[in-house]
Every structure is written in C-alpha cells, then in structure tokens.
C-alpha cells in the first residue's frame, strides 16, 4: 500500500524490528496537553471491544483534560488508505490517524503532511527505542507504535485434534498434510478473504520471506528491483500450494473481517481450520464468534519453513505502524498519543484487541496461548520484514496484491507477479 525509493533506515523499512525495550509508565501525568480544543482520531476499529477501547481512552483523557474533546471516527480498514490520502491532499486530514508505515509514511513525510513527534524520555521508555526506530526517518519519529504485529497462522485446536493433526505444521509439506486431514472432516483447511486482495497477497509475502535472502529483501526496499529468481520462486510455491485446493469455496469473493462469511468469521465459527493473518486477528475473530467472546481453542504458529529457501526459517513477517499526527494537529493530539502508551492504557489496549502491547511494562496481561506463541517466535526471529505492500509503496504494493489474486484466480502466473511489480516500480 505504499511508495517508491526511500531513505528510510532498515528498521523503518521493517527489516530488523525487535521487541520494544523495557518501559514504564510511572510518573506519567496523562499526556502533555494543558491546552484546549478538539482532536479528531481516525481508527480502523469498527466494532466491539476495539471501538470501546478508543471511546474509553478518549473519555479518560478528557477527564484529565476537561478543555479537550477527543472525537473518535471508525473507518473501514479497506477504505482507510484512500480516504486518508484524499483528506491529506485536500488539507482536511484528521489530527490523529492510523499509520501503515514504510513507503506510505515516507511519502507523507516528503509531502510535508505529517509531524515529527517530540517525545519525552517517559514516552521513549513506554514505547522502547527499537519500536520507535521502526517508525523513524532520518532520526525523527513520525508515528506512535501501540503494539507489536508478528504475522502467523491462526488455527483451531479443536479442529486440529478432530482431524488428527498432532502438532502445528513446521514445514510446507506438513502444512499440505494438515490441509488433507482437515478436508477429511469436511472443514475448509484455510480461510482467506481474497476479495480484499491483501490477505491473499500475504501468502506470497511469506513465501518470499522464506525464498529470498534478507539482503535481497533489503535491496528491494531501497531500489524497488525484483530481478532475483526468489520472487518468481515465491509465486511458484503459492501456485503449488493452490493445487491442493487449501482455501474455502468462494474465497475469491470472501472478505477478511466482515461478518460470519468472512475468513475471520469462518475461524470464529469453526468452519475453517487456519488463517494467515497479523496479530490483530484474535480481536476480529472474538467479535465474530456466536457469543462475541474470544475463541477458546485459538492457537498460533509461525509460517512454515520452505525447503531450499535463502531466507532464514525463523524470519517473521510483521507490521510496524502506529498513529501519526497530521501537519496541522494541535499539541493536544500529541498529548493523547502520549496517554495511550502509558501502562494502564496499554493494558486496556492489549485486552481490547487481544494483542501484544508495545509497552513492555504492560505485557504482563499477555496470557493467551496464541499471543504467547507469537511473542516467543518474534523474540527468536533472526529478523522481521514489514508487510511488502507497506515497504514497497502504494503503486508497487497494489500491483503485487492484484497480481497475486490473479494467480489464485487462474488469471496469472508467478512470472506475471514479477512482471506487474516491475512495471509498477518503473512508473514510480
């Protein structure tokens, strides 16, 4: 979802992320505000506990700062980028908004559309320097991270047990075996919302992470060149997996997060065994279960190893975004961001989104097995790569996502993915 050549550091490109260093919220005064006015916030939390968190956080901040009003606006995830870009271009952007990071953030910085954040030592302790590096350009911080986002495969432990799958797959061969066993119990092995494009494309991203070396992926982030054979091999791997018919019927027209028929909804209702997704997924799934509660048998495992791949088998895909301030945002907006990374707010955030908070002092609330598994894998990873449609910019990212869906639909090949990506890179 992002754009062109950049001067971003390797960490800002999401290539060497690490978990945030220890931070504490002691002595926080609730954010550096003291002023007055209205602050607008755009988030992609649409329903359930996520929306409740933002409303509660706004109220808590307003209780501390009665002269400040925080207005929360939910924007559907798939609509957010387009609406935000239009708002930025027309000088009508919200004060605070969800930041994807990578090339998208670089473009906003180059266009003078967002502010560098003037953080205190307390802020830096709350977030951790490693996490801040992931949203920094030329030494300046342009977004406030709220959580870590390791991507992996979420699965139903109950369905795995019923299918006779004794342990999560560690290789692609084992993943194919799991697909066969889940089919035998009349369950869709893997759910994917290909209508949204990016969830399907993430399968290609992860195969590329396994097939391409770290150096190759770093170089592509800088130069947008995709000449290494590993990019085509990643597409071949996906095409090979597709031959096993691993996805649910109608996956090409299914959404990822909206309703019981979405990929997350299929997991929530035990209609599918697995879904590849970022660590926001448990919260989405919880809002789609019949009782609107977390799925009790939800598990997580890292993307399986690919034989012969040049990428480190422990490497992990993940996000590195946060929330940014538009260029005209008032100081009260920064105060609210400072507030939501304090220990108490981070604990509430983690519970609302079933995620791993960036503030290490708040990570004691991470008790769910799937999050513990993700956190352990993230800590052990040799390196992390940010989502490719973020790293490579909007033009290249969109072209990649669409080309992957075309492959899955039988309308394209692995060579076409590389061809279309190269063409998009040449256009800038």
């Amino acid at each position: 979802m992002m754009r062109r050549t950049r001067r971003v550091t390797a960490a800002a490109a999401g290539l060497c992320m690490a978990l945030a260093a220890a931070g504490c919220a002691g002595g926080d005064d609730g954010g550096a505000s003291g002023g007055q006015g209205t602050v607008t916030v755009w988030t992609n939390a649409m329903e359930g506990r996520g929306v409740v968190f933002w409303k509660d956080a706004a109220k808590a901040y307003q209780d501390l700062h009665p002269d400040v009003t925080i207005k929360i606006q939910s924007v559907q995830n798939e609509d957010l980028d387009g609406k935000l870009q239009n708002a930025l271009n027309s000088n009508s952007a919200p004060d605070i908004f969800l930041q994807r990071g990578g090339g998208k953030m670089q473009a906003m910085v180059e266009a003078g559309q967002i502010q560098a954040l003037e953080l205190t030592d307390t802020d830096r302790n709350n977030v951790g320097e490693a996490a801040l590096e992931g949203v920094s350009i030329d030494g300046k911080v342009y977004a406030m991270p709220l959580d870590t986002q390791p991507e992996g495969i979420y699965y139903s432990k109950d369905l795995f047990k019923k299918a006779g799958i004794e342990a999560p797959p560690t290789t692609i061969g084992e993943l194919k075996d799991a697909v066969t066993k889940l089919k035998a119990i009349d369950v869709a092995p893997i759910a994917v919302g290909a209508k949204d494009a990016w969830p399907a494309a993430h399968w290609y991203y992860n195969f590329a992470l396994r097939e391409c070396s770290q150096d190759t992926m770093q170089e592509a982030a800088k130069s947008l060149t995709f000449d290494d054979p590993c990019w085509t091999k990643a597409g071949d791997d996906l095409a090979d997996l597709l031959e096993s018919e691993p996805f649910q019927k109608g996956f090409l027209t299914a959404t990822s997060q909206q309703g019981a028929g979405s990929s997350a909804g299929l997991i929530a209702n035990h209609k599918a065994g697995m879904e590849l997704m970022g660590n926001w997924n448990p919260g989405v799934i919880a809002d789609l279960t019949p009782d609107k509660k977390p799925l009790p048998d939800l598990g997580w495992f890292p993307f399986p190893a690919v034989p012969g791949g040049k990428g480190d088998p422990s490497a992990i895909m993940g996000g590195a975004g946060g929330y940014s301030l538009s260029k005209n945002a008032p100081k009260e907006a920064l105060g609210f961001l400072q507030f939501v990374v304090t220990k108490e707010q981070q604990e509430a955030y983690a519970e609302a989104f079933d995620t791993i908070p960036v503030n290490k002092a708040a990570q004691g609330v991470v008790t769910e097995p799937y999050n513990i598994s993700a956190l352990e894998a993230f800590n052990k990873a040799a390196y992390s790569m940010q989502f490719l449609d973020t790293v490579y910019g909007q033009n290249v990212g969109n072209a990649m996502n669409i080309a992957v869906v075309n492959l899955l639909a039988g309308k394209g090949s692995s060579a076409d993915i590389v061809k279309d990506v190269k063409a998009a890179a040449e256009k800038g």
Side-chain angles (χ1 to χ4, degrees), residues 7-9 12 102 105-106 109 135-142:
R7 301 182 304 276
V8 192
T9 64
M105 187 174 75
Q106 174 75 38
V109 171
V135 288
S136 296
I137 298 174
D138 296 336
K140 295 182 179 181
V141 178
Y142 287 95

Side-chain angles (χ1 to χ4, degrees), residues 13 15 55 61 68 77 91 97 127 169 182-183 214-215 243 273 275 285 316 320 378 390 395:
L15 293 163
K55 290 181 178 179
Y61 187 77
V68 178
N77 184 67
N91 203 31
F97 58 86
V127 177
L182 287 165
K183 282 184 178 181
Q214 184 183 14
D215 287 344
E243 290 182 1
E275 183 185 23
I285 291 171
I316 201 164
F378 195 71
T390 294
N395 291 340

Side-chain angles (χ1 to χ4, degrees), residues 236-426:
D236 292 340
D237 291 340
L238 179 55
D240 181 65
L241 177 64
L242 187 63
E243 290 182 1
S244 67
E245 297 183 348
F247 304 126
Q248 81 274 23
K249 293 181 180 179
F251 73 91
L252 290 170
T253 57
T255 62
S256 57
Q257 301 176 353
Q258 298 87 50
S262 67
S263 55
L266 294 177
I267 299 294
N269 293 279
H270 290 109
K271 301 296 184 182
M274 296 176 275
E275 183 185 23
L276 175 66
M277 193 58 66
N279 78 325
W280 57 83
N281 207 34
V284 176
I285 291 171
D287 288 334
L288 296 173
T289 58
D291 59 3
K292 303 295 182 182
K293 294 181 180 180
L295 193 68
D297 67 311
L298 190 64
W300 183 97
F301 61 92
F303 196 85
V306 175
K310 296 181 180 179
D312 191 293
S314 71
I316 201 164
M317 187 68 62
Y323 279 79
S324 288
L325 301 183
S326 58
K327 64 179 182 180
N328 295 322
K331 63 180 181 180
E332 291 81 10
L334 175 59
F336 184 59
L337 287 184
Q338 293 169 319
F339 178 67
V340 294
V341 294
T342 59
K343 180 177 181 292
E344 181 179 353
Q345 289 299 313
Q346 280 276 282
E347 289 173 342
Y349 183 89
E351 292 176 351
F353 290 94
D354 285 320
T355 190
I356 303 169
V358 72
N359 188 328
K360 195 168 185 179
Q363 289 179 357
V365 300
V366 178
T367 58
E368 300 85 355
Y370 47 82
N371 275 337
I372 292 174
S373 296
L375 188 56
E376 289 175 349
F378 195 71
N379 282 332
K380 294 177 182 177
Y383 53 90
S384 179
M385 181 71 189
Q386 195 169 343
F387 302 129
L388 302 191
D389 56 356
T390 294
V391 174
Y392 300 142
Q394 185 169 355
N395 291 340
V396 171
N398 286 346
M400 181 179 290
N401 291 353
I402 293 170
V404 172
V405 174
N406 285 341
L407 181 150
L408 296 178
K411 299 178 180 179
S413 66
S414 54
D416 289 330
I417 294 175
V418 176
K419 175 177 66 69
D420 291 351
V421 166
K422 286 184 175 180
E426 290 175 359

